[in-house]
Amino acid sequence: MRAQPRPPARPAPWGDAGLVSGEAVELDVRAARIGSRVLALMLDVLAQLALLLMLSIVAGIVLVNLPAALVDGALAGGLATVGLVLVLVGYPVLCERFNHGRTLGKMAVGLRVVSADGAPVGLRQSLTRALVGVAVEWPGLVLPLLSWVAGVAVMLSDRQGRRLGDLVAGTLVVHTRTATAWRPVPTAVPVLVGWAHTLDLSRLDDGLALAARQYLARVHQLAEPARGRLGRGLWTEISAVTTPPPPPGMPESVYLAAVLGERHRRAWHRLGRGRAVAATLWPEMTPGPPAPPYAAPPGIAAPPGTIRPAVPGARPAVASPAPAGGAPTPGA
Protein backbone atom coordinates (compact mmCIF):
# COMPACT_ATOMS: atom_id res chain seq x y z
CA MET A 1 0.00 0.00 0.00
CA ARG A 2 1.56 3.21 -1.14
CA ALA A 3 1.66 6.05 1.37
CA GLN A 4 -0.29 9.14 0.48
CA PRO A 5 1.76 12.33 0.09
CA ARG A 6 1.36 14.85 2.87
CA PRO A 7 -0.48 18.05 1.97
CA PRO A 8 1.61 21.20 1.92
CA ALA A 9 1.79 23.10 5.17
CA ARG A 10 -0.84 25.77 5.46
CA PRO A 11 0.65 29.18 6.22
CA ALA A 12 -0.24 30.63 9.59
CA PRO A 13 -3.12 33.10 9.49
CA TRP A 14 -2.60 36.79 10.14
CA GLY A 15 -3.57 36.56 13.82
CA ASP A 16 -1.59 33.38 14.58
CA ALA A 17 2.04 33.49 15.63
CA GLY A 18 2.71 29.96 14.36
CA LEU A 19 5.56 29.24 16.80
CA VAL A 20 7.45 25.93 16.77
CA SER A 21 9.25 25.08 20.00
CA GLY A 22 12.61 23.36 20.32
CA GLU A 23 10.81 20.00 20.67
CA ALA A 24 9.12 20.54 17.24
CA VAL A 25 5.75 21.28 18.87
CA GLU A 26 3.62 23.93 17.23
CA LEU A 27 2.36 26.48 19.77
CA ASP A 28 -1.03 28.03 19.25
CA VAL A 29 -0.45 31.62 20.39
CA ARG A 30 -1.75 34.95 19.16
CA ALA A 31 0.80 37.60 18.18
CA ALA A 32 0.29 41.12 19.52
CA ARG A 33 -0.41 43.81 16.92
CA ILE A 34 0.38 47.49 16.83
CA GLY A 35 -2.82 48.56 18.63
CA SER A 36 -2.32 46.54 21.81
CA ARG A 37 1.41 47.22 21.80
CA VAL A 38 0.93 50.98 21.55
CA LEU A 39 -1.51 50.85 24.47
CA ALA A 40 1.00 48.90 26.55
CA LEU A 41 3.73 51.38 25.55
CA MET A 42 1.62 54.33 26.72
CA LEU A 43 1.11 52.69 30.11
CA ASP A 44 4.82 51.94 30.36
CA VAL A 45 5.66 55.57 29.52
CA LEU A 46 3.45 56.72 32.40
CA ALA A 47 5.19 54.27 34.74
CA GLN A 48 8.60 55.46 33.53
CA LEU A 49 7.65 59.10 34.10
CA ALA A 50 6.58 58.28 37.65
CA LEU A 51 9.85 56.39 38.21
CA LEU A 52 11.85 59.29 36.77
CA LEU A 53 10.08 61.70 39.10
CA MET A 54 10.90 59.54 42.11
CA LEU A 55 14.56 59.32 41.09
CA SER A 56 14.69 63.10 40.62
CA ILE A 57 13.35 63.63 44.14
CA VAL A 58 15.90 61.20 45.58
CA ALA A 59 18.74 62.82 43.63
CA GLY A 60 17.66 66.27 44.81
CA ILE A 61 17.68 65.13 48.43
CA VAL A 62 21.16 63.63 47.98
CA LEU A 63 22.54 66.79 46.37
CA VAL A 64 21.11 69.00 49.09
CA ASN A 65 22.73 66.96 51.86
CA LEU A 66 26.15 66.86 50.19
CA PRO A 67 28.75 69.52 50.99
CA ALA A 68 28.65 72.49 48.66
CA ALA A 69 32.25 71.90 47.58
CA LEU A 70 31.33 68.49 46.09
CA VAL A 71 28.25 69.60 44.15
CA ASP A 72 28.87 70.93 40.67
CA GLY A 73 27.37 70.66 37.20
CA ALA A 74 29.27 67.48 36.33
CA LEU A 75 27.83 65.60 39.31
CA ALA A 76 24.30 66.74 38.53
CA GLY A 77 24.71 65.76 34.88
CA GLY A 78 26.11 62.36 35.81
CA LEU A 79 23.20 61.63 38.15
CA ALA A 80 20.76 62.70 35.43
CA THR A 81 22.42 60.35 32.91
CA VAL A 82 22.34 57.43 35.36
CA GLY A 83 18.70 58.06 36.16
CA LEU A 84 17.77 58.25 32.46
CA VAL A 85 19.56 54.97 31.72
CA LEU A 86 17.85 53.27 34.65
CA VAL A 87 14.43 54.43 33.46
CA LEU A 88 14.81 53.77 29.72
CA VAL A 89 16.92 50.61 29.83
CA GLY A 90 16.77 49.22 33.34
CA TYR A 91 12.97 49.40 33.68
CA PRO A 92 12.08 47.10 30.73
CA VAL A 93 15.04 44.77 31.28
CA LEU A 94 14.35 44.22 34.99
CA CYS A 95 10.60 43.88 34.48
CA GLU A 96 10.96 41.35 31.65
CA ARG A 97 13.60 39.44 33.60
CA PHE A 98 11.77 39.11 36.91
CA ASN A 99 8.13 39.31 35.74
CA HIS A 100 8.05 36.58 33.08
CA GLY A 101 8.61 38.89 30.12
CA ARG A 102 6.01 41.46 31.16
CA THR A 103 6.38 45.13 31.99
CA LEU A 104 3.63 46.94 33.87
CA GLY A 105 1.98 48.06 30.64
CA LYS A 106 2.17 44.61 29.07
CA MET A 107 0.80 43.02 32.22
CA ALA A 108 -2.18 45.39 32.20
CA VAL A 109 -2.95 44.78 28.51
CA GLY A 110 -2.25 41.03 28.65
CA LEU A 111 0.98 40.80 26.63
CA ARG A 112 4.23 38.94 27.14
CA VAL A 113 7.65 38.92 25.49
CA VAL A 114 8.94 35.47 24.51
CA SER A 115 11.72 34.13 22.33
CA ALA A 116 11.10 33.33 18.69
CA ASP A 117 10.74 29.63 19.59
CA GLY A 118 8.31 30.27 22.44
CA ALA A 119 10.89 29.96 25.24
CA PRO A 120 11.07 32.54 28.05
CA VAL A 121 12.92 35.69 27.12
CA GLY A 122 16.51 35.91 28.31
CA LEU A 123 18.49 38.74 29.83
CA ARG A 124 20.54 39.28 26.66
CA GLN A 125 17.43 39.47 24.54
CA SER A 126 15.73 41.96 26.87
CA LEU A 127 18.84 44.13 26.94
CA THR A 128 19.09 44.06 23.14
CA ARG A 129 15.44 45.05 22.74
CA ALA A 130 15.85 47.95 25.15
CA LEU A 131 19.06 49.24 23.57
CA VAL A 132 17.64 49.10 20.04
CA GLY A 133 14.51 50.88 21.23
CA VAL A 134 16.50 53.68 22.89
CA ALA A 135 19.11 54.09 20.15
CA VAL A 136 16.95 53.72 17.04
CA GLU A 137 13.22 53.55 17.65
CA TRP A 138 12.63 56.25 20.25
CA PRO A 139 12.17 59.72 18.69
CA GLY A 140 14.33 62.65 19.69
CA LEU A 141 17.43 60.60 20.53
CA VAL A 142 19.01 59.76 17.16
CA LEU A 143 16.54 60.20 14.30
CA PRO A 144 13.48 62.17 15.41
CA LEU A 145 10.91 61.46 12.68
CA LEU A 146 12.45 58.71 10.58
CA SER A 147 12.65 56.37 13.57
CA TRP A 148 8.87 56.47 14.12
CA VAL A 149 8.12 55.93 10.42
CA ALA A 150 10.57 53.04 10.18
CA GLY A 151 9.28 51.42 13.37
CA VAL A 152 5.65 51.56 12.27
CA ALA A 153 6.54 50.30 8.78
CA VAL A 154 8.44 47.31 10.23
CA MET A 155 5.56 46.36 12.55
CA LEU A 156 2.96 46.61 9.79
CA SER A 157 5.02 44.63 7.27
CA ASP A 158 5.94 41.79 9.64
CA ARG A 159 3.41 38.93 9.81
CA GLN A 160 3.89 38.58 13.55
CA GLY A 161 3.80 42.31 14.33
CA ARG A 162 7.40 42.49 15.54
CA ARG A 163 9.27 45.75 15.84
CA LEU A 164 12.92 46.31 14.97
CA GLY A 165 14.06 45.45 18.49
CA ASP A 166 12.24 42.11 18.29
CA LEU A 167 13.86 41.28 14.96
CA VAL A 168 17.35 42.03 16.27
CA ALA A 169 16.87 40.23 19.59
CA GLY A 170 14.91 37.27 18.19
CA THR A 171 11.83 37.87 20.36
CA LEU A 172 8.08 38.09 19.90
CA VAL A 173 5.25 39.72 21.84
CA VAL A 174 2.20 37.48 22.26
CA HIS A 175 -1.17 37.70 23.99
CA THR A 176 -1.63 35.87 27.28
CA ARG A 177 -5.43 36.15 27.29
CA THR A 178 -7.99 34.54 25.03
CA ALA A 179 -10.11 36.87 22.94
CA THR A 180 -13.79 36.21 23.66
CA ALA A 181 -16.88 37.94 22.36
CA TRP A 182 -19.49 39.15 24.86
CA ARG A 183 -22.95 37.70 24.42
CA PRO A 184 -26.10 38.39 26.45
CA VAL A 185 -27.71 35.82 28.73
CA PRO A 186 -30.15 33.68 26.69
CA THR A 187 -33.83 34.19 27.37
CA ALA A 188 -36.80 31.90 26.86
CA VAL A 189 -38.93 32.17 23.75
CA PRO A 190 -42.53 33.33 24.35
CA VAL A 191 -43.91 29.85 23.63
CA LEU A 192 -41.99 28.32 26.57
CA VAL A 193 -42.44 31.10 29.14
CA GLY A 194 -45.41 29.44 30.87
CA TRP A 195 -43.67 26.06 30.92
CA ALA A 196 -40.42 27.60 32.20
CA HIS A 197 -42.22 29.15 35.20
CA THR A 198 -43.16 25.65 36.41
CA LEU A 199 -39.61 24.24 36.27
CA ASP A 200 -37.97 22.72 39.32
CA LEU A 201 -34.37 23.91 39.11
CA SER A 202 -33.24 22.92 42.60
CA ARG A 203 -30.97 20.11 41.29
CA LEU A 204 -29.42 22.13 38.45
CA ASP A 205 -25.90 22.95 39.66
CA ASP A 206 -23.73 25.85 38.56
CA GLY A 207 -21.30 23.70 36.57
CA LEU A 208 -23.97 22.23 34.31
CA ALA A 209 -25.61 25.63 33.84
CA LEU A 210 -22.23 27.14 32.88
CA ALA A 211 -21.65 24.36 30.34
CA ALA A 212 -25.02 25.10 28.73
CA ARG A 213 -24.27 28.82 28.79
CA GLN A 214 -20.95 28.31 27.00
CA TYR A 215 -22.60 26.02 24.46
CA LEU A 216 -25.21 28.64 23.58
CA ALA A 217 -22.51 31.31 23.32
CA ARG A 218 -20.48 29.26 20.82
CA VAL A 219 -23.18 27.28 19.04
CA HIS A 220 -22.75 29.35 15.88
CA GLN A 221 -19.05 28.38 15.77
CA LEU A 222 -19.68 24.64 15.99
CA ALA A 223 -20.24 22.42 12.98
CA GLU A 224 -22.26 19.27 12.61
CA PRO A 225 -22.21 16.59 13.85
CA ALA A 226 -20.33 17.95 16.89
CA ARG A 227 -22.92 20.68 17.49
CA GLY A 228 -25.88 18.27 17.56
CA ARG A 229 -24.06 15.69 19.67
CA LEU A 230 -23.04 18.26 22.27
CA GLY A 231 -26.52 19.82 22.34
CA ARG A 232 -28.23 16.45 22.81
CA GLY A 233 -25.82 15.58 25.60
CA LEU A 234 -26.60 18.79 27.47
CA TRP A 235 -30.32 18.22 26.83
CA THR A 236 -30.08 14.76 28.42
CA GLU A 237 -28.14 15.97 31.47
CA ILE A 238 -30.36 18.98 32.18
CA SER A 239 -33.66 17.17 31.57
CA ALA A 240 -32.55 14.50 34.06
CA VAL A 241 -32.33 17.05 36.90
CA THR A 242 -35.28 19.31 35.99
CA THR A 243 -39.03 18.73 35.95
CA PRO A 244 -41.46 18.82 34.18
CA PRO A 245 -40.08 17.39 30.92
CA PRO A 246 -39.76 19.75 27.96
CA PRO A 247 -42.47 19.94 25.31
CA PRO A 248 -41.91 17.55 22.41
CA GLY A 249 -40.37 18.80 19.21
CA MET A 250 -38.29 21.61 20.71
CA PRO A 251 -34.72 22.10 19.42
CA GLU A 252 -31.87 21.67 21.87
CA SER A 253 -30.79 25.30 21.79
CA VAL A 254 -34.34 26.59 22.39
CA TYR A 255 -34.81 24.26 25.36
CA LEU A 256 -31.46 25.18 26.90
CA ALA A 257 -32.15 28.89 26.42
CA ALA A 258 -35.52 28.53 28.16
CA VAL A 259 -33.98 26.76 31.17
CA LEU A 260 -31.13 29.26 31.53
CA GLY A 261 -33.43 32.25 31.01
CA GLU A 262 -35.75 31.04 33.78
CA ARG A 263 -32.78 30.42 36.07
CA HIS A 264 -31.52 33.94 35.39
CA ARG A 265 -34.98 35.41 36.04
CA ARG A 266 -35.25 33.66 39.40
CA ALA A 267 -31.78 34.85 40.37
CA TRP A 268 -32.85 38.44 39.72
CA HIS A 269 -35.99 37.83 41.76
CA ARG A 270 -33.94 36.56 44.70
CA LEU A 271 -31.66 39.57 44.37
CA GLY A 272 -34.65 41.90 44.63
CA ARG A 273 -35.91 39.99 47.67
CA GLY A 274 -32.45 40.34 49.21
CA ARG A 275 -32.70 44.11 48.82
CA ALA A 276 -36.05 44.02 50.62
CA VAL A 277 -34.54 41.97 53.47
CA ALA A 278 -31.61 44.38 53.73
CA ALA A 279 -34.03 47.29 53.95
CA THR A 280 -35.83 45.49 56.81
CA LEU A 281 -32.66 44.67 58.74
CA TRP A 282 -30.92 48.01 58.22
CA PRO A 283 -33.63 50.66 57.81
CA GLU A 284 -31.17 53.47 58.45
CA MET A 285 -29.36 52.57 55.23
CA THR A 286 -32.46 52.88 53.02
CA PRO A 287 -34.73 55.87 52.47
CA GLY A 288 -37.93 55.68 54.46
CA PRO A 289 -41.47 55.83 53.07
CA PRO A 290 -43.05 59.23 52.37
CA ALA A 291 -44.78 60.92 55.29
CA PRO A 292 -48.57 60.40 55.42
CA PRO A 293 -50.84 63.37 54.77
CA TYR A 294 -51.70 65.53 57.74
CA ALA A 295 -54.97 64.64 59.42
CA ALA A 296 -56.20 67.23 61.86
CA PRO A 297 -58.06 65.93 64.95
CA PRO A 298 -61.78 66.58 65.09
CA GLY A 299 -62.56 70.14 66.06
CA ILE A 300 -59.07 71.48 65.27
CA ALA A 301 -58.39 73.39 62.07
CA ALA A 302 -55.55 72.12 59.84
CA PRO A 303 -52.60 74.46 59.26
CA PRO A 304 -52.75 76.46 56.02
CA GLY A 305 -51.19 74.69 53.01
CA THR A 306 -51.50 71.11 54.32
CA ILE A 307 -53.16 68.36 52.33
CA ARG A 308 -56.16 66.73 53.95
CA PRO A 309 -56.71 62.96 53.56
CA ALA A 310 -58.64 62.49 50.38
CA VAL A 311 -61.60 60.20 49.99
CA PRO A 312 -60.82 57.41 47.51
CA GLY A 313 -61.66 58.67 44.06
CA ALA A 314 -61.85 62.34 45.11
CA ARG A 315 -59.35 65.17 44.59
CA PRO A 316 -57.21 66.09 47.59
CA ALA A 317 -58.29 69.25 49.37
CA VAL A 318 -55.80 71.86 50.50
CA ALA A 319 -56.68 73.88 53.57
CA SER A 320 -56.96 77.61 52.90
CA PRO A 321 -56.31 80.34 55.40
CA ALA A 322 -59.34 80.89 57.53
CA PRO A 323 -61.12 84.18 57.06
CA ALA A 324 -61.62 86.49 59.97
CA GLY A 325 -64.29 85.14 62.30
CA GLY A 326 -64.92 81.90 60.38
CA ALA A 327 -63.64 78.35 59.86
CA PRO A 328 -61.19 77.48 57.12
CA THR A 329 -62.76 76.74 53.80
CA PRO A 330 -61.34 73.94 51.59
CA GLY A 331 -59.80 75.02 48.36
CA ALA A 332 -60.24 73.33 45.01
Side-chain angles (χ1 to χ4, degrees):
M1 186 177 188
R2 188 174 57 182
Q4 297 293 334
R6 295 183 60 183
R10 181 176 57 90
W14 179 255
D16 191 358
L19 297 181
V20 178
S21 64
E23 292 78 13
V25 177
E26 186 176 359
L27 305 178
D28 186 12
V29 294
R30 189 161 57 98
R33 298 299 170 186
I34 187 171
S36 56
R37 297 190 63 170
V38 168
L39 179 59
L41 177 61
M42 293 173 61
L43 297 178
D44 283 330
V45 168
L46 294 178
Q48 288 174 321
L49 289 177
L51 180 60
L52 185 61
L53 179 61
M54 294 175 57
L55 292 178
S56 301
I57 294 175
V58 173
I61 295 175
V62 171
L63 291 178
V64 168
N65 294 328
L66 288 178
L70 299 178
V71 178
D72 55 359
L75 179 60
L79 291 178
T81 303
V82 171
L84 191 62
V85 171
L86 288 177
V87 171
L88 296 181
V89 179
Y91 166 79
V93 171
L94 294 178
C95 287
E96 293 175 4
R97 178 61 180 172
F98 297 103
N99 197 23
H100 307 287
R102 300 174 300 176
T103 59
L104 297 181
K106 290 182 175 63
M107 186 168 54
V109 179
L111 305 180
R112 180 185 177 187
V113 181
V114 296
S115 299
D117 58 351
V121 63
L123 178 61
R124 178 185 58 82
Q125 293 174 319
S126 297
L127 183 59
T128 303
R129 293 181 76 252
L131 291 178
V132 172
V134 171
V136 179
E137 296 177 333
W138 280 55
L141 298 180
V142 178
L143 301 174
L145 181 60
L146 186 60
S147 59
W148 271 104
V149 176
V152 172
V154 169
M155 294 183 65
L156 292 178
S157 61
D158 189 78
R159 291 189 59 87
Q160 297 176 345
R162 295 178 295 180
R163 64 179 179 89
L164 186 59
D166 294 320
L167 296 176
V168 175
T171 56
L172 176 68
V173 180
V174 297
H175 286 273
T176 59
R177 303 170 187 169
T178 304
T180 56
W182 179 87
R183 292 187 178 275
V185 178
T187 57
V189 295
V191 179
L192 298 179
V193 170
W195 168 81
H197 287 179
T198 63
L199 280 174
D200 180 14
L201 303 177
S202 57
R203 295 188 298 165
L204 180 60
D205 57 356
D206 295 338
L208 186 55
L210 179 60
R213 173 70 174 85
Q214 293 175 346
Y215 168 77
L216 292 177
R218 297 176 174 86
V219 66
H220 65 286
Q221 301 175 353
L222 303 176
E224 295 292 349
R227 177 172 56 189
R229 183 170 60 250
L230 183 57
R232 287 189 296 271
L234 290 173
W235 172 299
T236 304
E237 293 185 31
I238 292 181
S239 60
V241 296
T242 57
T243 53
M250 286 294 170
E252 294 87 355
S253 58
V254 175
Y255 166 69
L256 297 177
V259 174
L260 293 185
E262 178 63 20
R263 190 173 186 266
H264 183 67
R265 187 192 66 83
R266 295 182 186 182
W268 272 104
H269 181 69
R270 288 193 299 268
L271 183 60
R273 185 180 300 175
R275 292 197 187 102
V277 172
T280 304
L281 296 178
W282 299 282
E284 66 277 2
M285 302 297 293
T286 57
Y294 177 82
I300 301 179
T306 59
I307 301 177
R308 295 178 177 178
V311 180
R315 297 179 59 187
V318 181
S320 303
T329 57

